[in-house]
Amino acid sequence: QAVYWYQKAADQGDASAQYNLGNMYYNGRGVKQDYAQAVYWYQKAADQGDSDAQFNLGNMYNNGQGVKQEYTQAVYWYQKAADQGDASAQFNLGNMYNNGQGVKQDYAKAKQLYLSAAKQNIANAQYLLGLLAYRDKNYKEALSWYSKAANQGYSNAQVYLGYMYRNGLGVKKNNQTAYQWYQKAADQGDQAAIDNIQNMRNQGLIR
């Protein structure tokens, strides 16, 4: 039923309906899954400036779903959505610059985009900024970004935060706090966290 109404509105040029119809085809909800049809409708909505459609279209080009994989096109659509403030697009575009896919590799540009996404609470952007700060030995800044991501339940950040507390990097050394962060990640099945907890037990740092 939803497909019927989306189709009617989409045919009349409604960008939101076109985007939703694209999602129906992408997920195979109410219709047979068809990536090419998803691309077709995302494209229609994206051309009208719908940022969600632009982001999804970027993903389709990035992953080669329903279209030939084409990084330059992925970058083009991520940029369109990022310019409208879409945080996920900013993060993905950051990855493209970081890896030099579809664009010339540019770490400064990547960091700038991660920063924009992180400010909108994209946890993996916060985590990556933590990694970059850690690499530069800016431990206090790393701790701050890891904390933001960890508090959103991002297990990799929880492990790194545990490590920072265990080793007193950017913060006063605290085995109990380290253990608490490792435990949060371990509860999500993170193997590194499980290994670290075992290691702390073996050293008699925790019971």
Side-chain angles (χ1 to χ4, degrees), residues 130-167:
L131 287 182
L132 292 173
Y134 183 88
R135 190 187 65 190
D136 294 338
K137 296 188 166 48
N138 294 332
Y139 297 133
K140 275 193 160 50
E141 189 189 332
L143 188 87
S144 170
W145 285 117
Y146 287 149
S147 297
K148 287 179 196 296
N151 283 316
Q152 290 198 67
Y154 198 77
S155 66
N156 286 357
Q158 291 169 340
V159 173
Y160 273 84
L161 199 52
Y163 178 83
M164 302 290 275
Y165 275 101
R166 187 175 170 187
N167 294 286

Side-chain angles (χ1 to χ4, degrees), residues 71-111:
Y71 292 138
T72 49
Q73 276 296 303
V75 166
Y76 176 81
W77 289 110
Y78 285 152
Q79 185 71 63
K80 289 268 193 197
D83 287 345
Q84 294 194 62
D86 187 295
S88 296
Q90 289 165 347
F91 176 73
N92 283 13
L93 188 58
N95 286 338
M96 303 303 270
Y97 275 101
N98 200 33
N99 301 322
Q101 291 175 309
V103 281
K104 190 166 176 287
Q105 196 167 45
D106 186 336
Y107 294 129
K109 181 80 173 157
K111 187 176 179 181

Side-chain angles (χ1 to χ4, degrees), residues 1-57:
Q1 195 63 35
V3 173
Y4 173 79
W5 291 112
Y6 284 144
Q7 184 76 58
K8 271 186 98 64
D11 287 338
Q12 286 168 28
D14 184 297
S16 176
Q18 291 167 343
Y19 165 70
N20 283 313
L21 192 55
N23 283 340
M24 305 291 272
Y25 277 109
Y26 183 81
N27 296 307
R29 283 205 326 266
V31 286
K32 188 167 174 286
Q33 190 176 48
D34 186 334
Y35 290 147
Q37 274 296 302
V39 167
Y40 175 82
W41 289 109
Y42 287 152
Q43 182 81 58
K44 290 264 191 202
D47 286 339
Q48 292 196 67
D50 185 296
S51 64
D52 291 327
Q54 290 168 343
F55 170 67
N56 283 7
L57 191 55

